[in-house]
Amino acid sequence: MVATPSAGVEALHRLKLTEPLMYLTPSSELATAARIASEHLFASLKPYTPKSPFDRLLVDEKFDAEQIWQQIDLQSQPLISAIRRQVNKFEKDPQELKDIFKSGESDQEQKRELVLEGEKEEDSDEEDDELDDESNEEEDEDEDEMEEDESGDGEREHKERGGVGVEDKFLNIQEMKEFMEDDEAREYGVNKKKQVMKKITRKFGEDDEEEDDDEDDDDDDDELGVLELAGEEDMSDAEDARYEDFFTSTKKRDQSKKPKVSEKVEDIDISNEEETEDSDTGDEDNDGMGSDDEMKTDNLSTHEKQLLEQRAKIEEVERENLEAKSWTMQGEVNATKRPKNSALEVDLDWERNAKPPPVITEEVSQSIEELIMKRISEGHFDDVQKAPSLPSKAPREMKELDENQSKKGLGEIYADEYAQKTGLVSQALSFSDEQKKEASLLFKKLCLKLDALSHFHFTPKPVIEDMSIQTNVPALAMEEIAPLAVSDAAMLAPEEVFSGKGDIKEEAELTQEDRKRRRAHKKRKFKAENAKRIAKKPRENTETAADGNEES
Amino acid sequence: MMQSNKGATSMEVEEAVPSETKVVSKPNFKPLKAHEISDGQVQFRKISVPKHRYTPLKKAWMDIYTPIYDQMMVDIRMNVKTRNVELMTRRDTPDVSNLQKCADFVHAFMLGFDVIDAVALLRMDELYVDSFEIKDVKTLKGEHLSRAIGRLSGKGGKTKFAIENSTKTRIVIADTKIHILGSFANIKVARDSLCSLILGSPAGKVYSKLRAVTARLAERF
């Protein structure tokens, strides 16, 4: 049922007056009143929502609370975002607001209107709370912030048009100052700005301190400006500025505030910056910037940014390490192990150890042929020549195996053998043997003399076995004209010189056991000798018995 | 000597029993004659003649008969009916071993050795005859056996002669039986060579071994 606007307002008032406790029990009166009120509100807000699908709120009895709420939601969501956008825009550029609301109207009126709008939204919030309690807390918060910001904007408008001589339509000291503050806030962290805002809202009631802001003309020194703000916060004492105020991150100073607050403020800041950067562009999608990370990176210090970059790099590297390697990094890879045609894309380069095959040109073949012909004409070939081996010893005479049937009978053979052995028959050595022996003997003598003349190849004297008495005389005595290399191989052999009996070890080399052994041996020998002497002595003692006794 | 011994024993024994027996000299007996060994009975040897040696025996009969009858003093006769050569000692056979030597000599002839080779048995004591079969060394059948026999003798018998000459032995290869006549060590060498030939080594290898061995054997004397 379509209700008149007055009825709607009446219903609203009634709802406002009822006690909260009454809402707990379901009453049809209150329900109808609520429906009428919500319909009225919907209709009143309708002009501001051009895209709404509903002409009016359908609040018949048959409609469920959920359905009504959905309709309201459909209308209010875009409305809220639109209002937010508008507020941001006006915050940046209050002049526009003035133009819209005609310059004649006072600021108070403007404020009131804003407040009214805020109230309306509050009421609508209450309505929504009735129908569905939970999901409106966020919006509540949002509305509160909005109120604050709106009031802040209002405050800003106050400050405009300071009216100093330098200023004209291009240069506005106040604007410049604000810009500087924004920049500083971006550079050093959001809190500065927030604190400024907080301070500003606090001072909303106190108009005295507005002048302090106007006094600040020092825009060149950012730090001082910041200091100024900080100092205002701390009872205007610049010496209380601390390191944390300048160089700590947003998080540390954000503890008291709710995260949403920062978000909203940052939103506004960013939108402000954007407004100042691209001055006449339309509404930017500030709400579209849902990514908090981007907002945060803009407000970090350079060191923090570096840290972030490093961390990102580290993460990337770690991720790479955990993943499976690409085929190019896997060592020996067959065609089956890599994707098709992947070798074409990669720049392959490897060391080839083999020499590249020679390019046969006319000149190359010419040169080779010339070389061959020259060599042939000279007769200079690279044949392998066998090194001549010197015959060191005479070839052993090989007894030939007679393969014919022996003429002699076995008996005769044995008879001959026996005769030879016993010496009945004169041992007629074969002619060749005799001569061979003599020849070899002569040759050996000659070789010895020749080797002695040349000192390089030393050969000892040939061992001619014959029975002769050797005297262990030094070699020099034997030969006066002695070559350098002279052997005493003909002298006594070592075993002939020293048989191995007797004390081999020196006194110093003996171990304790060896000494004991030697001593024991000596004693034994002495005892044996004594025993022998005593055994001998009885024969002598038979003659001189008394003497023997005395002696022993 | 005996006296000194006696003296020693008398020293050990307190009361020496007075030896009544006189010192007896060791009896010195003359060697027994062949007859006397068996108490006057005659010693007998019989050697059968294989078919293939019948004709050679007939041909070489005198060469066999003469050294046996004249030098060994052993009676010999051929029993044609039983195809045996019989040997008997006479009264003046000097030594018992003569009969045995003659028997060995005849037996060697029957195995296939030549008379001139077998006569060495009569002359020297240390000669023996060693026989073995091819199948003792390696079991060969059919063609393998024939080839082995061929390997043993060689072309024209040259391998056999080579072994004979180098080791101073005589070898008879009768089908699958092999007989070697010679001194003990030489028989051994010859047998080793023959066995290696049977087992399949080529003749050249056997020759080289023979050469080494014979050189060693020759050096000893």
Side-chain angles (χ1 to χ4, degrees):
Chain A
M1 62 200 183
V2 183
T4 55
S6 56
V9 174
E10 222 182 85
L12 268 173
H13 279 296
R14 199 162 0 124
L15 284 170
K16 241 176 142 180
L17 291 169
T18 53
E19 289 208 15
L21 288 171
M22 298 295 285
Y23 286 114
L24 288 172
T25 56
S27 68
S28 57
E29 203 184 274
L30 278 174
T32 47
R35 278 175 209 268
I36 293 162
S38 47
E39 204 188 329
H40 164 71
L41 280 172
F42 193 89
S44 59
L45 286 172
K46 170 111 184 25
Y48 304 101
T49 58
K51 290 183 193 167
S52 168
F54 299 103
D55 292 332
R56 59 178 183 82
L57 191 67
L58 305 162
V59 286
D60 288 344
E61 295 297 325
K62 296 185 186 74
F63 280 102
D64 201 10
E66 185 63 37
Q67 286 167 330
I68 294 167
W69 160 245
Q70 285 292 336
Q71 289 171 56
I72 292 168
D73 200 30
L74 266 173
Q75 191 208 38
S76 59
Q77 282 292 344
L79 184 63
I80 287 166
S81 42
I83 290 168
R84 198 182 297 147
R85 249 182 283 133
Q86 288 288 329
V87 166
N88 287 339
K89 200 169 82 173
F90 293 141
E91 199 186 28
K92 290 284 175 185
D93 188 14
Q95 191 65 22
E96 213 181 308
L97 189 68
K98 274 194 179 172
D99 295 337
I100 291 168
F101 287 100
K102 292 174 196 169
S103 51
E105 277 184 72
S106 64
D107 298 345
Q108 295 292 331
E109 276 188 351
Q110 285 173 18
K111 255 196 279 178
R112 222 189 299 130
E113 284 206 25
L114 288 169
V115 168
L116 260 176
E117 287 204 31
E119 267 186 37
K120 275 192 190 160
E121 291 183 35
E122 273 191 55
D123 291 335
S124 70
D125 279 349
E126 280 176 28
E127 287 291 304
D128 295 345
D129 278 340
E130 255 184 87
L131 300 169
D132 192 352
D133 280 334
E134 289 173 15
S135 58
N136 276 322
E137 282 186 7
E138 275 184 24
E139 269 194 83
D140 258 339
E141 286 168 36
D142 292 353
E143 300 311 318
D144 288 341
E145 289 159 37
M146 292 284 268
E147 276 195 355
E148 275 190 70
D149 298 339
E150 286 160 2
S151 53
D153 275 338
E155 171 71 17
R156 280 270 186 75
E157 286 154 41
H158 259 291
K159 282 187 267 173
E160 269 186 271
R161 295 284 156 251
V164 187
V166 181
E167 287 181 17
D168 55 5
K169 61 176 179 174
F170 294 114
L171 174 65
N172 186 351
I173 299 252
Q174 195 61 31
E175 260 186 37
M176 199 162 68
K177 192 178 130 205
E178 279 163 25
F179 172 74
M180 293 303 291
E181 282 169 20
D182 293 338
D183 221 25
E184 283 161 30
R186 185 165 52 85
E187 192 65 27
Y188 296 113
V190 189
N191 278 342
K192 279 277 140 274
K193 200 69 165 100
K194 267 204 276 138
Q195 282 174 356
V196 168
M197 295 299 285
K198 213 186 349 174
K199 172 182 44 114
I200 288 164
T201 52
R202 240 186 283 144
K203 287 165 198 165
F204 178 59
E206 313 163 2
D207 292 331
D208 303 334
E209 302 212 33
E210 287 173 62
E211 292 156 12
D212 291 342
D213 297 328
D214 291 339
E215 281 168 12
D216 183 31
D217 285 330
D218 192 0
D219 295 323
D220 297 335
D221 195 350
D222 290 350
E223 284 179 10
L224 257 179
V226 169
L227 236 165
E228 186 74 7
L229 296 170
E232 284 170 5
E233 208 179 345
D234 303 331
M235 313 312 150
S236 69
D237 192 359
E239 288 172 6
D240 282 347
R242 305 197 113 108
Y243 175 87
E244 293 108 42
D245 298 330
F246 300 99
F247 296 115
T248 50
S249 64
T250 345
K251 293 176 207 163
K252 284 180 193 162
R253 304 186 292 176
D254 221 357
Q255 282 160 5
S256 52
K257 291 258 181 180
K258 289 174 200 164
K260 283 288 175 179
V261 176
S262 64
E263 249 182 82
K264 288 295 151 194
V265 173
E266 280 159 23
D267 240 338
I268 294 158
D269 287 341
I270 286 159
S271 61
N272 284 345
E273 288 161 15
E274 284 179 352
E275 290 289 316
T276 49
E277 281 167 5
D278 325 323
S279 48
D280 287 324
T281 53
D283 285 349
E284 301 243 351
D285 285 349
N286 296 329
D287 300 321
M289 286 171 60
S291 58
D292 299 336
D293 296 332
E294 281 184 42
M295 287 188 267
K296 277 180 188 160
T297 46
D298 287 351
N299 296 323
L300 293 174
S301 63
T302 36
H303 177 61
E304 282 163 4
K305 283 184 206 160
Q306 278 176 5
L307 280 180
L308 274 180
E309 275 174 32
Q310 268 183 20
R311 226 170 279 142
K313 268 190 214 163
I314 289 168
E315 275 184 29
E316 199 187 307
V317 170
E318 280 180 356
R319 205 177 355 101
E320 264 184 56
N321 278 345
L322 289 173
E323 282 174 0
K325 291 183 184 172
S326 71
W327 71 269
T328 49
M329 289 293 167
Q330 264 178 14
E332 291 184 10
V333 175
N334 287 334
T336 50
K337 289 197 177 63
R338 56 178 168 80
K340 192 175 174 184
N341 289 339
S342 54
L344 295 169
E345 292 142 26
V346 174
D347 186 21
L348 293 175
D349 182 29
W350 70 96
E351 279 181 26
R352 298 169 179 82
N353 282 331
K355 264 199 328 192
V359 179
I360 303 292
T361 57
E362 190 69 39
E363 296 152 1
V364 170
S365 50
Q366 272 282 312
S367 62
I368 290 169
E369 281 167 15
E370 271 176 36
L371 178 70
I372 291 167
M373 286 196 284
K374 199 177 88 172
R375 284 285 191 94
I376 291 169
S377 59
E378 281 175 19
H380 167 51
F381 302 117
D382 291 332
D383 291 338
V384 177
Q385 283 166 352
K386 192 179 166 188
S389 60
L390 297 167
S392 53
K393 39 182 187 173
R396 241 182 337 153
E397 56 174 79
M398 305 288 279
K399 195 173 175 192
E400 273 185 34
L401 275 174
D402 191 14
E403 284 177 348
N404 302 318
Q405 195 173 18
S406 65
K407 309 283 182 314
K408 288 190 194 173
L410 194 64
E412 284 172 23
I413 294 171
Y414 275 113
D416 290 341
E417 208 183 294
Y418 177 74
Q420 238 179 39
K421 219 164 43 168
T422 52
L424 290 169
V425 181
S426 61
Q427 294 196 30
L429 277 170
S430 55
F431 176 73
S432 56
D433 288 339
E434 268 277 347
Q435 282 208 320
K436 273 185 189 171
K437 250 192 189 171
E438 196 184 331
S440 61
L441 202 67
L442 285 169
F443 185 69
K444 277 182 185 170
K445 281 187 184 165
L446 180 67
C447 275
L448 172 74
K449 290 202 171 76
L450 288 171
D451 287 335
L453 286 174
S454 71
H455 294 221
F456 296 117
H457 300 286
F458 166 72
T459 47
K461 263 193 196 169
V463 180
I464 304 165
E465 285 172 338
D466 58 321
M467 305 269 281
S468 62
I469 296 162
Q470 292 283 350
T471 52
N472 197 11
V473 172
L476 282 171
M478 300 281 278
E479 276 185 44
E480 287 296 326
I481 309 160
L484 285 175
V486 170
S487 78
D488 53 353
M491 297 293 118
L492 292 176
E495 55 264 26
E496 288 165 346
V497 174
F498 175 68
S499 65
K501 294 209 171 118
D503 293 340
I504 297 167
K505 278 190 175 178
E506 287 263 332
E507 269 288 325
E509 287 176 348
L510 294 174
T511 58
Q512 203 59 21
E513 288 86 32
D514 288 331
R515 282 180 220 276
K516 280 190 186 168
R517 210 174 291 128
R518 280 204 188 178
R519 185 173 158 71
H521 183 68
K522 249 196 252 175
K523 280 173 86 172
R524 252 183 273 122
K525 259 175 64 182
F526 189 69
K527 273 193 190 155
E529 241 181 88
N530 271 355
K532 236 204 279 179
R533 221 188 311 140
I534 287 164
K536 271 196 216 161
K537 273 201 178 162
R539 280 189 241 145
E540 297 164 13
N541 280 352
T542 49
E543 295 163 14
T544 56
D547 291 347
N549 283 336
E550 280 173 17
E551 280 174 41
S552 63
Chain B
M1 306 286 169
M2 278 192 62
Q3 282 175 350
S4 63
N5 276 348
K6 229 189 170 179
T9 49
S10 68
M11 275 185 72
E12 285 171 14
V13 179
E14 284 184 353
E15 283 189 358
V17 177
S19 52
E20 290 174 353
T21 56
K22 291 173 194 164
V23 177
V24 180
S25 61
K26 205 165 77 174
N28 195 9
F29 298 114
K30 283 204 193 106
L32 280 173
K33 291 219 172 70
H35 276 272
E36 288 162 1
I37 282 173
S38 49
D39 298 330
Q41 278 184 345
V42 169
Q43 294 266 323
F44 214 68
R45 290 279 189 276
K46 228 191 294 186
I47 297 115
S48 69
V49 183
K51 271 194 218 162
H52 65 282
R53 290 310 270 170
Y54 198 68
T55 325
L57 178 67
K58 276 211 280 197
K59 282 202 187 128
W61 176 251
M62 283 318 291
D63 297 324
I64 297 170
Y65 177 86
T66 320
I68 288 176
Y69 191 82
D70 293 334
Q71 285 158 22
M72 291 285 133
M73 316 285 204
V74 171
D75 278 341
I76 178 170
R77 78 162 184 206
M78 173 74 188
N79 192 340
V80 183
K81 256 195 283 176
T82 57
R83 294 199 170 213
N84 285 345
V85 172
E86 288 163 6
L87 295 162
M88 201 171 74
T89 55
R90 296 204 300 256
R91 241 172 283 128
D92 52 349
T93 315
D95 205 1
V96 183
S97 57
N98 282 6
L99 181 65
Q100 189 55 47
K101 276 188 189 172
C102 295
D104 286 337
F105 163 60
V106 176
H107 183 67
F109 180 81
M110 295 312 159
L111 287 177
F113 290 102
D114 251 349
V115 182
I116 43 176
D117 299 327
V119 164
L121 275 168
L122 287 176
R123 294 215 187 128
M124 291 179 75
D125 283 342
E126 294 95 23
L127 293 182
Y128 304 96
V129 174
D130 187 28
S131 318
F132 63 97
E133 286 193 54
I134 290 177
K135 70 177 181 201
D136 294 344
V137 180
K138 189 173 183 182
T139 314
L140 297 165
K141 281 181 252 180
E143 273 189 31
H144 302 294
L145 184 61
S146 320
R147 271 201 288 272
I149 295 167
R151 250 200 320 278
L152 283 172
S153 16
K155 196 179 234 170
K158 63 178 186 159
T159 319
K160 186 171 85 113
F161 294 139
I163 298 172
E164 283 180 1
N165 291 332
S166 50
T167 59
K168 290 201 271 276
T169 55
R170 290 292 175 261
I171 299 170
V172 165
I173 302 175
D175 216 7
T176 52
K177 289 196 184 52
I178 299 164
H179 312 283
I180 310 172
L181 169 69
S183 62
F184 182 71
N186 293 342
I187 282 174
K188 191 162 180 295
V189 173
R191 194 175 57 225
D192 287 343
S193 323
L194 288 169
C195 286
S196 55
L197 279 169
I198 291 167
L199 289 169
S201 66
K205 207 177 215 175
V206 174
Y207 280 14
S208 53
K209 275 198 186 159
L210 272 177
R211 269 191 223 109
V213 171
T214 48
R216 234 188 306 131
L217 282 173
E219 274 171 27
R220 244 190 271 160
F221 306 109

